[in-house]
């Protein structure tokens, strides 16, 4: 089928530089869908690519379209996709794995070495009027979720995977360290699982946001020490001190899940605590198989995704959307609406 669809995309051409370009999209493969993008959340990783030009040893070396938390509407399908998918509102799972390697076949597709993940060099992301993806990774969303909520299924999937890894259940006393978008979602999912949840941060407005999002209590670790006896730590700051003090605040047989990524990937952990208390420690890398459950949980009304949205930007304003979190600590989740420039409100 032909698909000479013109696409406007915000392309990162250099550190802190974006140009809106017009591109054309190649004909769809049989399993692919063309999605008109409605909303894209700005993630901390987008901000790192944009402001530092790298994350760890991976460098942005060629023009790159950022944005991986996206929702939209299917407007065209490949030959192998049922035509009745056209018109479906979808949340886009940004990582499409190979489906053939041992990890994919074991169901651990988030660890696939050949995964193609939006906005991770050299794969382009979703700050564009349209994107092409595999039909199986465009998940239908109900009309009760708006376009921003559908986009934010992505960080919700991160949170659900982390809470699931920690096997959080009724009676748990969970410590969430870091009240950014990820910590605030982990908090809400752990509450929905029946746990009491304390949230730590060093920023007062983030702790206020945590109380508003349902924290049992909050701890300002710039002033106070963590109380002991938590059953679970879900670390969402990536800060070394939060990892070591959070582990030390766990009781015997505690479980710890590291979600936050430390900038250099190196930090020290108190091995004596891990050994003498038989702490189970693991990390998370994105998620697998979470989208359908995340969509259902969001649609149930038990997770407030709208609370995260702090500003909305057209495609022509992607630069400011990416710079905002660094300039304004109260900016939780800038959203980009790529259709806004195309169809300005009357
Ligand atoms: N594992 C994954 O697959 C995955 C996926 C998405 C994001 N992440 C990571 O999760 C982390 C959180 O993402 P985010 O978007 O919410 O980031 P964010 O920067 O908005 O939030 C981090 C929060 O940690 C707080 N903080 C700083 N020092 C602290 C301390 N000592 N104790 C407690 N809190 C402290 C900050 O004030 C901030 O509110 C990042 O490191 C991000 O890279 C991991
Ligand atoms: Zn993200
Ligand atoms: Zn694979």
């Amino acid at each position: 089928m032909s698909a000479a669809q013109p696409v406007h995309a915000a392309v990162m051409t250099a550190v802190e530089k974006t140009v809106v370009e017009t591109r054309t999209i190649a004909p769809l493969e049989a399993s692919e869908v063309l999605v008109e993008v409605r909303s894209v959340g700005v993630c901390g990783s987008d901000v790192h690519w944009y402001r530092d030009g790298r994350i760890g040893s991976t460098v942005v070396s060629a023009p790159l379209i950022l944005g991986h938390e996206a929702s939209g509407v299917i407007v065209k399908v490949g030959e192998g996709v049922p035509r009745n998918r056209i018109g479906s509102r979808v949340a886009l799972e940004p990582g499409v794995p190979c489906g053939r390697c041992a990890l994919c076949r074991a169901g651990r597709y988030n660890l696939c070495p050949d995964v193609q993940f939006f906005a991770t060099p050299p794969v382009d992301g979703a700050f564009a009027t349209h994107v092409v993806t595999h039909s199986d990774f465009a998940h239908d969303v109900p009309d009760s979720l708006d376009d921003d909520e559908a986009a934010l299924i992505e960080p919700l999937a991160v949170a659900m995977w982390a809470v699931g890894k920690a096997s959080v259940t009724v009676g748990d006393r969970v410590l969430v360290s870091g009240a950014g978008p990820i910590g605030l979602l982990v908090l809400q999912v752990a509450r929905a699982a029946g746990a009491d949840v304390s949230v730590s941060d060093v920023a007062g407005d983030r702790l206020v946001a945590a109380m508003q999002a349902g924290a049992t209590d909050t701890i300002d670790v710039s002033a106070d020490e963590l109380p002991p006896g938590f059953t679970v730590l879900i670390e969402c700051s990536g800060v070394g001190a939060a990892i070591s003090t959070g582990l030390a605040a766990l009781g015997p047989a505690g479980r710890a899940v590291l979600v936050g990524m430390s900038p250099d990937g190196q930090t020290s952990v108190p091995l004596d605590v891990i050994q003498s208390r038989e702490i189970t420690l693991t990390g998370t890398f994105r998620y697998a198989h979470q989208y359908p459950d995340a969509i259902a949980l969001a649609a149930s009304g038990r997770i407030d995704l709208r609370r995260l949205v702090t500003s909305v930007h057209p495609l022509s304003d992607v630069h400011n959307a990416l710079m905002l979190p660094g300039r304004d600590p109260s900016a939780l989740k800038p959203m980009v609406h790529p259709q806004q420039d195309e169809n300005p409100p009357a």
Side-chain angles (χ1 to χ4, degrees):
M1 68 183 292
S2 73
Q5 173 73 48
V7 171
H8 302 296
V11 183
M12 173 184 171
T13 53
V15 167
E16 296 188 5
K17 188 157 173 49
T18 290
V19 177
V20 176
E21 291 180 6
T22 303
R23 296 180 171 188
T24 51
I25 279 187
L28 297 179
E29 302 283 340
S31 60
E32 288 180 335
V33 293
L34 179 69
V35 176
E36 182 182 280
V37 181
R38 292 288 172 83
S39 177
V40 193
V42 170
C43 176
S45 60
D46 296 313
V47 174
H48 279 300
W49 293 125
Y50 196 57
R51 300 195 57 191
D52 306 335
R54 64 192 305 141
I55 295 180
S57 58
T58 310
V59 177
V60 183
S61 54
L64 182 72
I65 303 170
L66 294 171
H68 63 263
E69 303 175 352
S71 70
V73 177
I74 294 178
V75 292
K76 200 174 275 190
V77 297
E79 279 168 12
V81 179
R83 286 195 59 78
N84 65 8
R85 290 217 75 194
I86 294 173
S88 297
R89 296 180 61 245
V90 287
L92 301 183
E93 184 170 350
V96 178
C98 81
R100 293 182 300 276
C101 72
L103 287 160
C104 281
R105 282 186 283 123
R108 307 201 56 179
Y109 68 81
N110 56 318
L111 302 177
C112 172
D114 295 321
V115 67
Q116 299 281 301
F117 199 95
F118 278 163
T120 305
V123 182
D124 280 327
F127 287 151
T129 53
H130 299 77
V131 292
V132 172
T133 191
H134 192 294
S135 174
D136 291 349
F137 291 80
H139 300 268
D140 289 347
V141 292
D143 286 340
S144 59
L145 295 179
D146 68 23
D147 294 333
D148 292 337
E149 293 170 306
L152 296 177
I153 294 299
E154 202 279 337
L156 180 57
V158 172
M160 287 180 61
W161 187 240
V163 171
K165 281 256 171 194
S167 304
V168 172
T169 187
V170 176
D172 270 323
R173 283 188 60 208
V174 177
L175 171 63
V176 176
S177 50
I182 296 294
L184 293 173
L185 290 171
V186 168
L187 150 66
Q188 293 186 65
V189 177
R191 288 289 282 177
D196 282 346
V197 185
S198 302
V199 179
S200 69
D201 204 297
V202 291
D205 52 355
R206 293 282 168 108
L207 293 170
V208 170
M211 279 314 282
Q212 290 169 345
T216 310
D217 57 16
T218 59
I219 305 137
D220 180 350
V221 285
S222 68
D224 299 317
E225 293 205 349
L226 294 171
F230 292 101
T231 60
V232 172
L233 165 69
I234 304 184
E235 205 303 301
C236 301
S237 75
V239 173
I243 297 170
S244 53
T245 58
L247 286 167
L250 286 172
R255 292 102 71 197
V257 174
L258 306 183
V259 184
M261 296 175 177
S262 72
D264 63 359
Q266 303 293 322
T267 192
S268 60
V269 294
L271 283 180
D272 56 336
V273 169
I274 291 171
Q275 284 180 320
S276 61
R277 298 184 204 166
E278 293 202 353
I279 304 294
T280 304
L281 171 63
T282 187
T284 57
F285 186 65
R286 299 168 180 158
Y287 42 77
H289 311 290
Q290 296 303 296
Y291 262 63
D293 288 348
I295 290 165
L297 183 63
S300 77
R302 281 179 292 165
I303 306 291
D304 187 350
L305 293 168
R306 289 227 57 78
R307 173 186 300 283
L308 297 181
V309 176
T310 43
S311 59
V312 173
H313 307 257
L315 202 57
S316 55
D317 199 36
V318 158
H319 170 79
N320 285 323
L322 286 163
M323 296 303 285
L324 206 51
R327 289 177 180 150
D328 175 4
S330 69
L332 273 174
K333 190 59 80 177
M335 307 296 298
V336 173
H337 286 186
Q339 307 303 320
Q340 215 165 295
D341 299 293
E342 309 307 304
N343 304 304

